[in-house]
Structures are given as structure tokens and as C-alpha cells.
Amino acid sequence: MSISLRKHAAMFLAATFTVGSMATFGAAALDQPTAVLSSTLNHSVGTVLTSAEISNAQQAMAKAKASALKAQQDAAKKAQEEAAKKAKAEAAKKAAEEAAKKEAEIKAAATKTAYNQLVASAATARPVAYSTTYLASDAIKANATALGNYKLTFYDPCVACNGNNQALTATGTTLTEGRTIAVDPSVIPLGSRVFIEGYGVFIAEDTGGAIKGNKIDIAVSTHERANELGVQYANVYLLK
Ligand SMILES: [Zn+2]
């Protein structure tokens, strides 16, 4: 074998060996003694290599080893960075979840307070008329019992509307616009505080022969007003 051919063979083997070692065994496999390396090369080439050829192979090995170590270090650094990034994202997610939970708790407490105030407020005499002021709030939706959509009619203390009872309700109170409603007591217990969406809070304190199921008769002061208001439909909530 010529010097040139042997040199190329040694370089080729060194390169093959290092690439193969790196791929198969990792950087640890590159730690084998130079004696084993030169022996492997000499055996493969079938003759004794020059010291320069061995030195070249050693340099190639050292370079490959350094390169493999750097790759390992880079990979470790990258993994560490990824882990830190992941931990940071998880911490941020947890903080956001806790903030949302806290906010929901505050909102729930506020709606509960608003609801309690509504339940405690007096249902007093006032003109009955539809108003968006009386749309069901979150506090009502969250805390009251939704009874569904009801048919609303209107009546007053006249003989035609209330017979001989006049302004006397079934519970003995005075029929009062803005407070009194007649209900089916098997559906809404007498004495209940009822929120009629669009009309506000009333007290179930009267009954009526035609008031069965999901029907409510709302008291107003005059027959004329009862006729004007006619028939309406609204969502009804049982407050308490
Ligand atoms: Zn009437």
C-alpha cells in the first residue's frame, strides 16, 4: 500500500470509527485509549501507521469528542431552558386560574348581596308598567327559582274584576297596585315574593278562579288601566 493510500485509509477509518462511535455509543465510547485506536487502525489497514497518521487520527478523535460533548451540553442547556419555560407557563396558568376563581367568588358574593337586598326590600305601591329596569339581573338568575314563562293578566278592585271582595285580597290584605298579584297557590305559595321580568317584585297575596297554573293576575288601581295593559307574557322567578 502506498503512503498516500495508507494515509487516506487511516483518515477514512478514523472518520468512520468516530462517526460510528458517536452514533452508536455516544461520547463515552470516544474515551477509549489511543493504543486501542491505533491497533484498530493498524489491523484494518494491515500495516503499521506512521506517528503522523496516528496523531491525525487522534486529533480527529479529540475534535469529534469535543464536538459530541458540546452537543451534549447544548442539549442539556436547551432541555433546562425548555423546563424553565414550561414551569413559567404553568405558574402563569395557575395564577390566571386562581385570579379567575377569586373574581368569580367576588362576583357571586356581590350578586348574592344584591339578591338579598331585593328579597329584603319592601314591595310597595307603585304604578305597574313594563320597564327594562325590571329585566332579570344576574343576581336573580343566579339565586332565584325560575318558574318559567307566565301569562299575565291585570285586574282591579271593581266588581267586574274582583266581585264583592272589592279591595280585599284572599289573604286579607288590601289590593295594592305594585304589590298585589293573584296566583295559583299550588304553584306559587301565598306570601311568596315574586319577580316578574319587566314588571318587578310583587307579593303573592291573592287568588282567582281563572288563575291556574302558569298564570298571574297583576293588581292595578282602575279597570281602565287593567284593560289597557291587556294580556302579557313574562319570565317569572320565585324569590323566597
Ligand atoms: Zn275591573
Side-chain angles (χ1 to χ4, degrees):
M1 191 180 289
S2 70
I3 295 296
S4 170
L5 187 57
R6 293 194 316 110
K7 191 177 176 183
H8 280 110
M11 287 176 72
F12 173 76
L13 284 166
T16 306
F17 182 78
T18 54
V19 169
S21 297
M22 282 171 65
T24 313
F25 308 113
L30 300 176
D31 287 333
Q32 62 183 296
T34 305
V36 175
L37 171 67
S38 55
S39 154
T40 305
L41 292 175
N42 286 335
H43 177 74
S44 302
V45 178
T47 185
V48 176
L49 294 172
T50 65
S51 60
E53 286 167 340
I54 291 169
S55 173
N56 282 343
Q58 282 175 329
Q59 279 171 14
M61 289 284 283
K63 199 176 170 185
K65 186 181 171 185
S67 167
L69 281 173
K70 190 176 184 304
Q72 273 188 335
Q73 285 165 351
D74 287 349
K77 193 181 171 191
K78 196 180 171 185
Q80 206 172 26
E81 283 169 357
E82 289 291 326
K85 200 174 162 186
K86 198 180 167 187
K88 196 178 170 186
E90 279 174 2
K93 192 185 168 190
K94 198 178 171 187
E97 282 171 355
E98 280 180 5
K101 194 182 165 189
K102 188 89 178 168
E103 198 178 328
E105 282 170 0
I106 290 167
K107 196 187 171 188
T111 58
K112 186 68 182 169
T113 301
Y115 178 73
N116 289 340
Q117 284 170 352
L118 187 69
V119 169
S121 67
T124 53
R126 61 186 165 88
V128 169
Y130 177 87
S131 169
T132 53
T133 305
Y134 297 119
L135 293 179
S137 64
D138 288 345
I140 290 169
K141 287 176 183 172
N143 297 286
T145 304
L147 297 178
N149 198 256
Y150 272 56
K151 182 180 182 180
L152 309 177
T153 50
F154 299 84
Y155 75 115
D156 66 281
C158 83
V159 175
C161 289
N162 212 29
N164 293 327
N165 290 332
Q166 297 290 307
L168 187 67
T169 68
T171 56
T173 58
T174 301
L175 191 149
T176 305
E177 177 169 346
R179 187 191 73 205
T180 307
I181 54 170
V183 301
D184 178 348
S186 70
V187 179
I188 299 172
L190 289 174
S192 298
R193 190 173 285 259
V194 177
F195 181 83
I196 302 174
E197 188 158 47
Y199 296 91
V201 179
F202 297 86
I203 306 293
E205 56 186 16
D206 205 1
T207 57
I211 307 306
K212 299 294 176 198
N214 58 342
K215 288 179 186 170
I216 289 177
D217 218 3
I218 299 177
V220 291
S221 54
T222 67
H223 194 77
E224 192 184 10
R225 291 208 64 232
N227 279 344
E228 279 173 7
L229 288 160
V231 176
Q232 309 292 339
Y233 291 86
N235 292 322
V236 172
Y237 297 83
L238 186 61
L239 297 184
K240 191 184 178 185

